[in-house]
Amino acid sequence: MTVEEIYSKILQHMIKGLMFHEQMANYYDFLGLKGYKRCHEYHYLEENCAMRTLNRYFINHHNKLIPKLDVSDPEIIPNSWYKYSRQDVDNGTKKNAVKNGLTLWREWETETKELYEKMYKELIDIDEVASAMKIKELICDVNCELKKVERYQLNKKATDYDLVDIIEEQHKKHEKYRHKMKKIGIKIC
């Protein structure tokens, strides 16, 4: 692969990641889980900055634009949800949605880590060491996020995705991510 092809694959995945987190934010907002919603809004913004940084790096160090590839929609929200209102969501659906949402998130971050590691190796193989170091930063970021998701999922699994526990933690998570967003200069009402 060429450096352009490698960066194109990474950019394509990053754009899909933005779509993933945006849809997850809507998914949890619809369920009335404002802490989880805010968490994915934060990751959307953080990853948008990472994508901007990747583009700037490539332009400034390779003097080209990253070629764009088609991006498929991750389609996180089940189609059946579009015919209901928030008030129609029962507790069983909400509990299963949290379980499924965490599984989807872990799978996404695992896939992301694997892709970035593969692209890092490809860059090393073509002697693009400086570019590989840029991708190494992304690997470290996703590795930390994956660790947090896995720990969180294990905790929820240990309580059998107890809905009372999930509801009670929403305010704390909402405030945590509201403050994190505020630190990067974003205020969403």
Side-chain angles (χ1 to χ4, degrees):
M1 293 179 81
T2 66
V3 68
E4 290 88 359
E5 290 169 332
I6 293 165
Y7 271 74
S8 287
K9 277 192 160 298
I10 293 168
L11 180 62
Q12 177 189 45
H13 191 79
M14 289 178 120
I15 292 168
K16 190 170 181 178
L18 293 175
M19 295 167 73
F20 174 85
H21 285 295
E22 191 264 340
Q23 289 178 28
M24 288 300 290
N26 288 340
Y27 177 99
Y28 286 122
D29 200 8
F30 177 73
L31 294 171
L33 301 172
K34 66 182 184 177
Y36 294 173
K37 168 203 68 178
R38 186 71 84 156
C39 171
H40 283 282
E41 287 174 342
Y42 175 76
H43 287 291
Y44 170 87
L45 295 168
E46 186 179 55
E47 291 177 20
N48 198 344
C49 289
M51 185 179 72
R52 229 6 260 135
T53 301
L54 185 82
N55 274 291
R56 286 182 65 180
Y57 178 87
F58 193 82
I59 291 167
N60 289 301
H61 294 273
H62 294 281
N63 299 305
K64 297 179 180 180
L65 294 168
I66 301 173
K68 290 186 177 179
L69 298 172
D70 290 334
V71 179
S72 61
D73 186 340
E75 299 181 11
I76 300 301
I77 300 171
N79 285 330
S80 62
W81 287 16
Y82 289 96
K83 60 184 175 183
Y84 297 104
S85 73
R86 292 166 122 189
Q87 290 76 14
D88 295 324
V89 179
D90 62 39
N91 288 346
T93 301
K94 195 173 285 196
K95 179 179 174 176
N96 286 331
V98 169
K99 184 177 181 179
N100 292 336
L102 286 171
T103 298
L104 289 169
W105 189 12
R106 184 182 46 79
E107 288 170 355
W108 174 257
E109 298 305 334
T110 300
E111 179 184 324
T112 300
K113 181 182 172 197
E114 289 170 357
L115 174 69
Y116 291 174
E117 288 172 336
K118 182 179 178 187
M119 295 300 100
Y120 171 84
K121 186 177 180 318
E122 291 281 341
L123 288 165
I124 292 295
D125 289 347
I126 61 170
D127 297 323
E128 285 286 344
V129 176
S131 282
M133 298 308 290
K134 191 68 187 162
I135 305 312
K136 185 178 180 181
E137 293 172 13
L138 297 173
I139 294 168
C140 291
D141 290 345
V142 75
N143 199 39
C144 287
E145 187 174 346
L146 181 57
K147 178 182 88 171
K148 289 176 187 174
V149 172
E150 287 175 341
R151 283 183 177 175
Y152 190 74
Q153 187 180 36
L154 286 171
N155 287 338
K156 291 294 131 201
K157 188 176 180 181
T159 64
D160 195 31
Y161 295 88
D162 181 66
L163 201 50
V164 172
D165 178 55
I166 289 167
I167 298 300
E168 286 179 353
E169 74 181 339
Q170 293 307 303
H171 179 72
K172 183 178 177 183
K173 280 200 171 295
H174 185 269
E175 289 304 300
K176 172 185 174 180
Y177 286 101
R178 185 176 68 80
H179 288 294
K180 288 179 90 149
M181 289 169 67
K182 197 173 182 181
K183 285 182 182 178
I184 60 173
I186 305 292
K187 181 180 179 185
I188 300 174
C189 177

